[in-house]
């Protein structure tokens, strides 16, 4: 069976980790959390991967309300390029989704989208967002009195209102609304609300000052704004207060403008504006100001020492001359090696959600399962929003909310298992693509060295003397060490990728290192790699259904053209269209199953290498550059994949299949 995953790659027929053309994916939201308390510090907490901004915002608000959890939110429109998303931007996405009054489809095809024409309870969802925002503000207002105590006061103090107002402005980018304040569990009098909004406005003015042009700057005003953002940035980055907006950009802009006005740094920076090390001089000035600005303009006993250290570093930077280190020129073989090694990918950490979305972009069956999971997740969120608007006694409303919350939690845990499965397959698929890239780099290195040796052999004049072994040794004396060094580096890089994937799979599958190697196929990976025998059964069943449905379409088309005979039912064009639509759906599922089968073969062979984890053996003696060698086929792929990657070459060293 051809490896359909490989045939969808670039025209060069090389399996690289690049997005192939296909249906556009929706905007995905990845929310991850980590525990920060002294008992579970650093461990992963609950997370969510969905395409609904409302569901993502509700999860972010409810999770960040818990003090021992630190939450991060990322978004992606293609499933490969992820960017950090602050909560105020996520809130904007959620409000836009509610204005559209439609559930976001996981797939644009209406035949495969289970949420194409379903409406949402927008009013109930808006109230749910307001309720969770009030709970978030309550968690920011009422915090333990100290780190050693867990007692939370019933009424917030003045310092709590100041801190909550600053946190709200940093996270949401606007003062809190009256609706959110009215939903707090305790009465908010006018002085408290006024103080909270005044502090929020002060933070917003400081961030606005960082975005204004640097005209007629006042050093005291800049220093007051920088100090406020500096203190608030340390507060918002502290995990127990929830995810805050990163204020380091605004703080850095204010610091640059202070540097140009401060008496200790203005003159040196102006004098060294055209210096080759102007960037390092400016960085030294920023480091110095970060030390003296918090207590400035009051002086302390260590201010003079900090100024002396800064002046010494400034003098050293102004007198040091930097330049390229001297050395021998680069040889042609070294140039080939540098070009090959530069393009090789380094092992990069791939998060669980990133690996899962990459697998879903290749596997149609995985994408379909993710679409249904997102549908159920969105429906349970809508049920929770309706439960908050339940009419009756507070007890009835509380019971409805508790039941809806339990259903939403159960669905979230169920979908988390699917994310683990898809993430494991995504890591293996990414490793298979990386191994193919390393094999290509090794062939490129061998061909480049052979080409240099061939050019030197062609420059020899046979009229003087025939080409002999001494000439061959002299021509390849500097090529053989470069080739051996390059192959050793590629082998080391291959082992690093195998180790990184093994570590990622171990964190995803705890039983991976506990299960004996001879039985891992039947225990650990049963839920993570689709069994090939079941996929063959699915292909046979789908093929039979396709043949039956195709014959049905032919009969319906014939009866529609000739008319029904005696005893036959009347056939309409709608019946034929429905049968053809069912046929297309079966064909789509058959194609997805074919792709899943080919991917499973590749993943199984790649997993064999990850499970083995043999230490990198010593690099064998490099072949003589004067003879062209045929490189081994890319490990981790089946024979059709290797043939597609390197047409016309023989594949050796294949690992046993599934």
């Amino acid at each position: 069976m051809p490896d359909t995953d490989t045939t969808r790659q670039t025209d060069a027929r090389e399996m690289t980790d690049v997005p192939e053309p296909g249906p556009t994916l929706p905007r995905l939201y990845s929310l991850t959390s980590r525990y920060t308390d002294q008992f579970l510090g650093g461990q992963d907490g609950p997370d969510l991967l969905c395409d609904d901004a409302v569901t993502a915002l509700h999860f972010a608000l409810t999770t960040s309300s818990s003090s021992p959890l630190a939450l991060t939110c990322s978004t992606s429109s293609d499933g490969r390029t992820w960017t950090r998303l602050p909560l105020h931007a996520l809130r904007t996405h959620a409000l836009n989704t509610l204005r559209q009054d439609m559930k976001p489809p996981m797939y644009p095809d209406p035949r495969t989208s289970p949420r194409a024409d379903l409406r949402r309870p927008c009013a109930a969802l808006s109230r749910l967002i307001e309720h969770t925002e009030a709970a978030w503000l309550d968690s920011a207002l009422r915090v333990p009195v100290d780190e050693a105590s867990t007692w939370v006061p019933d009424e917030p103090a003045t310092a709590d209102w100041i801190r909550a107002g600053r946190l709200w402005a940093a996270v949401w980018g606007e003062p809190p609304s009256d609706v959110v304040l009215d939903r707090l569990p305790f009465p908010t009098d006018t002085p408290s609300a006024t103080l909270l909004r005044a502090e929020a406005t002060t933070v917003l003015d400081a961030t606005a000052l960082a975005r204004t042009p640097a005209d007629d700057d006042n050093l005291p005003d800049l220093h007051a704004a920088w100090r406020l953002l500096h203190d608030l940035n340390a507060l918002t980055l502290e995990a127990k207060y929830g995810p805050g907006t990163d204020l380091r950009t605004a703080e850095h802009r204010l610091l640059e403008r202070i540097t140009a006005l401060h008496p200790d740094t203005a003159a040196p920076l102006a004098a060294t504006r055209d210096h080759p090390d102007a960037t390092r001089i400016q960085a030294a000035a920023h480091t110095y100001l970060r030390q003296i600005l918090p207590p400035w303009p009051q002086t302390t006993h260590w201010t003079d020492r900090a100024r002396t250290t800064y002046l010494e570093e400034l003098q050293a930077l102004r007198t040091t001359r930097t330049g390229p280190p001297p050395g021998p020129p680069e040889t042609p073989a070294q140039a080939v090696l540098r070009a090959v090694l530069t393009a090789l990918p380094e092992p990069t950490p791939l998060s669980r959600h990133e690996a899962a979305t990459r697998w879903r972009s290749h596997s149609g069956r995985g994408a379909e399962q993710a679409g249904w999971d997102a549908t159920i997740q969105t429906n349970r969120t809508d049920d929770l929003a309706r439960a908050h608007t339940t009419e009756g006694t507070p007890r009835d409303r509380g019971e409805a909310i508790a039941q809806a919350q339990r259903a939403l939690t159960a669905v979230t845990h169920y979908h988390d298992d699917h994310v683990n499965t898809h993430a494991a397959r995504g890591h293996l698929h990414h490793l298979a693509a990386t191994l193919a890239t390393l094999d290509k780099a090794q062939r490129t290195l061998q061909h480049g060295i052979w080409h240099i040796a061939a050019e030197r052999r062609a420059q020899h004049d046979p009229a003087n003397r025939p080409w002999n072994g001494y000439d061959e040794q002299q021509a390849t004396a500097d090529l053989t060490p470069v080739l051996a060094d390059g192959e050793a580096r590629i082998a080391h890089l291959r082992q690093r990728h195998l180790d990184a994937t093994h570590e990622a799979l171990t964190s995803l599958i705890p039983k991976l290192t506990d299960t004996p190697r001879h039985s891992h196929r039947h225990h650990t990976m049963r839920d993570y790699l689709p069994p090939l025998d079941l996929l063959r059964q699915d292909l046979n069943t789908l093929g039979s259904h396709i043949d039956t449905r195709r014959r049905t379409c032919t009969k319906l088309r014939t009866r529609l053209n000739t008319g029904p005979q005696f005893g036959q039912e009347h056939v309409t064009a709608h019946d034929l269209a429905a049968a053809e639509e069912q046929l297309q759906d079966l064909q789509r599922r058959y194609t997805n199953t074919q792709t899943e089968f080919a991917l499973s073969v590749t993943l199984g062979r790649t997993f064999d290498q990850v499970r083995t984890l043999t230490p990198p053996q010593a690099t064998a003696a490099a072949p003589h550059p004067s003879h062209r060698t045929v490189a081994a086929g890319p490990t981790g792929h089946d024979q059709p994949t290797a043939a597609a990657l390197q047409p016309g070459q023989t594949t050796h060293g294949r690992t046993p299949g599934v």
Side-chain angles (χ1 to χ4, degrees):
M1 179 175 295
D3 191 343
T4 54
D5 179 68
T6 304
T7 57
R8 291 186 288 125
Q9 306 301 320
T10 57
D11 295 335
R13 294 179 177 271
E14 296 293 349
M15 186 175 180
T16 55
D17 197 14
V18 296
E20 51 279 321
T24 57
L25 293 175
R27 181 182 295 274
L28 298 176
Y29 300 95
S30 170
L31 296 101
T32 58
S33 61
R34 295 182 70 85
Y35 289 100
T36 59
D37 58 2
Q38 57 181 345
F39 300 104
L40 300 174
Q43 295 186 14
D44 294 333
D47 56 11
L48 179 68
L49 177 63
C50 68
D51 64 334
D52 182 19
V54 179
T55 303
L57 179 61
H58 177 264
F59 180 87
L61 289 170
T62 54
T63 303
S64 59
S65 299
S66 178
S67 57
L69 286 175
L71 183 71
T72 57
C73 179
S74 303
T75 182
S76 173
S77 58
D78 56 0
R80 294 175 179 269
T81 305
W82 293 87
T83 56
R84 288 294 180 91
L85 186 69
L87 283 187
H88 67 85
L90 179 60
R91 183 176 181 270
T92 303
H93 293 178
L95 295 179
N96 293 336
T97 301
L98 294 180
R99 293 190 189 99
Q100 296 176 2
D101 192 21
M102 185 175 294
K103 294 185 179 181
M106 190 70 180
Y107 304 101
D109 191 354
R111 294 171 299 178
T112 61
S113 175
R115 299 180 289 173
D117 300 322
L118 299 180
R119 300 294 175 178
R120 308 193 67 180
C122 297
L125 288 172
S126 299
R127 297 191 190 98
L128 178 63
I129 292 176
E130 294 170 356
H131 174 77
T132 51
E133 286 178 346
W136 188 93
L137 181 58
D138 181 31
S139 65
L141 279 170
R142 297 192 292 183
V143 296
V145 293
D146 53 24
E147 297 182 357
S149 175
T150 59
W151 177 75
V152 178
D154 296 333
E155 294 290 338
T158 303
D160 297 331
W161 288 102
I162 294 176
R163 182 189 62 253
R166 294 178 178 180
L167 283 174
W168 183 276
V171 174
W172 302 107
E174 60 182 9
S177 61
D178 295 333
V179 178
V180 175
L181 294 178
D182 294 339
R183 289 182 177 270
L184 290 176
F186 44 84
T188 56
D189 53 351
T190 303
S192 300
T194 303
L195 180 61
L196 186 141
R197 288 177 175 167
E199 293 297 329
T201 304
T202 304
V203 174
L204 296 178
D205 292 342
T207 55
L209 178 62
R211 294 191 297 266
T212 57
D215 298 332
D216 299 332
D217 282 341
N218 187 3
L219 185 57
D221 294 341
L222 292 176
H223 175 256
W226 178 88
R227 187 170 182 177
L228 175 63
L229 296 183
H230 177 73
D231 298 339
L232 183 59
N233 192 26
L235 184 64
T236 54
L237 293 180
E238 194 171 353
K240 65 180 182 180
Y241 292 110
T245 304
D246 191 0
L247 302 176
R248 285 174 291 185
T249 301
E251 178 188 355
H252 183 71
R253 291 177 179 175
L254 290 176
L255 186 61
E256 286 183 343
R257 292 159 66 171
I258 293 175
T259 306
L261 297 177
H262 197 275
D264 291 344
T265 58
L269 289 182
T272 58
R273 187 170 302 168
D274 299 331
H275 195 273
D277 288 336
T279 303
R280 299 175 61 185
I281 293 175
Q282 188 177 20
H286 290 174
T287 303
Y288 166 68
L289 289 180
R290 287 191 183 97
Q291 296 177 359
I292 68 170
L293 280 183
W296 188 77
Q298 290 81 12
T299 59
T300 58
H301 65 281
W302 49 263
T303 304
D304 295 336
R305 288 183 296 175
R307 184 181 295 107
T308 302
T309 303
Y310 164 64
L311 294 177
E312 292 176 355
E313 184 178 1
L314 176 64
Q315 181 65 21
L317 290 174
R318 296 181 64 174
T319 57
T320 301
R321 298 296 181 182
T322 59
E330 189 179 45
T331 63
Q334 293 174 348
V336 172
L337 178 61
R338 177 180 51 81
V340 170
L341 296 180
T342 302
L344 294 183
E346 291 289 336
T348 56
L350 198 63
S351 67
R352 192 169 69 107
H353 288 173
E354 292 175 355
T357 52
R358 290 199 179 194
W359 171 255
R360 293 169 181 178
S361 65
H362 291 85
S363 171
R365 290 165 65 102
E368 186 176 2
Q369 186 181 52
W372 284 108
D373 289 349
T375 301
I376 301 174
Q377 184 82 29
T378 305
N379 292 339
R380 297 293 80 80
T381 304
D382 294 348
D383 294 342
L384 180 61
R386 295 187 184 97
H388 279 272
T389 60
T390 301
E391 298 180 357
T393 62
R395 180 177 180 180
D396 296 337
R397 185 181 299 108
E399 292 178 354
I401 292 175
Q403 183 179 1
Q405 186 63 49
R406 285 193 298 268
L408 179 60
T409 304
V411 166
T412 302
H413 288 301
Y414 178 72
H415 297 167
D416 190 74
D417 296 337
H418 289 170
V419 173
N420 273 345
T421 303
H422 295 169
R425 300 176 185 179
H427 280 294
L428 290 175
H429 186 273
H430 179 66
L431 175 63
T434 304
L435 295 181
T437 303
L438 294 176
D439 290 332
K440 176 188 175 182
Q442 186 170 358
R443 293 194 300 269
T444 303
L445 176 63
Q446 293 175 353
H447 294 170
I449 297 298
W450 174 85
H451 183 69
I452 295 175
E455 287 183 348
R456 294 179 179 178
R457 193 182 302 111
Q459 294 175 359
H460 177 73
D461 188 6
N464 296 332
R465 68 177 186 277
W467 183 268
N468 52 33
Y470 176 79
D471 296 331
E472 181 74 19
Q473 181 181 3
Q474 293 297 322
T476 59
D478 60 331
L479 302 183
T480 303
V482 174
L483 179 61
D485 184 28
E487 291 181 343
R489 293 187 188 181
I490 293 175
H492 176 69
L493 191 59
R494 181 192 303 273
Q495 190 64 34
R496 288 179 57 192
H497 281 282
L498 290 172
D499 295 339
T501 304
H502 183 271
E503 182 179 356
L505 292 180
T506 304
S507 62
L508 286 173
I509 315 170
K511 298 182 296 182
L512 181 65
T513 56
D514 300 334
T515 307
R517 295 182 179 179
H518 65 277
S519 61
H520 72 274
R521 279 281 180 260
H522 304 285
H523 296 86
T524 306
M525 297 303 294
R526 180 177 294 275
D527 297 330
Y528 298 93
L529 292 181
L532 298 183
D533 53 348
L534 297 183
L535 290 177
R536 290 192 185 95
Q537 294 178 10
D538 292 344
L539 287 174
N540 296 334
T541 304
L542 289 173
S544 177
H545 290 339
I546 288 175
D547 294 338
T548 303
R549 185 57 57 184
R550 186 179 288 111
R551 288 193 297 267
T552 301
C553 292
T554 302
K555 292 179 181 179
L556 291 177
R557 192 177 296 106
T558 302
R559 289 169 58 183
L560 185 63
N561 295 333
T562 60
Q565 298 180 4
F566 179 76
Q568 294 181 346
E569 297 181 358
H570 182 69
V571 177
T572 62
H574 177 73
D575 298 334
L576 178 60
E580 291 178 347
E581 183 177 356
Q582 294 177 1
L583 176 61
Q584 293 178 1
D585 182 68
L586 289 173
Q587 291 175 344
R588 177 185 58 82
R589 294 173 56 189
Y590 186 86
T591 302
N592 291 340
T593 307
Q594 277 186 321
T595 304
E596 193 81 8
F597 188 93
L599 291 175
S600 300
V601 173
T602 300
L603 297 189
R605 291 172 176 168
T606 307
F607 181 71
D608 285 339
Q609 302 182 55
V610 177
R611 279 285 297 182
T612 305
L613 274 182
T614 55
Q617 300 177 357
T619 307
H624 207 280
S626 62
H627 302 285
R628 186 163 186 167
T629 58
V630 179
T635 56
H637 297 273
D638 52 355
Q639 186 68 25
T641 307
L645 294 177
Q646 190 70 12
Q649 290 190 358
T650 305
T651 304
H652 303 285
R654 291 178 53 199
T655 55
V658 180

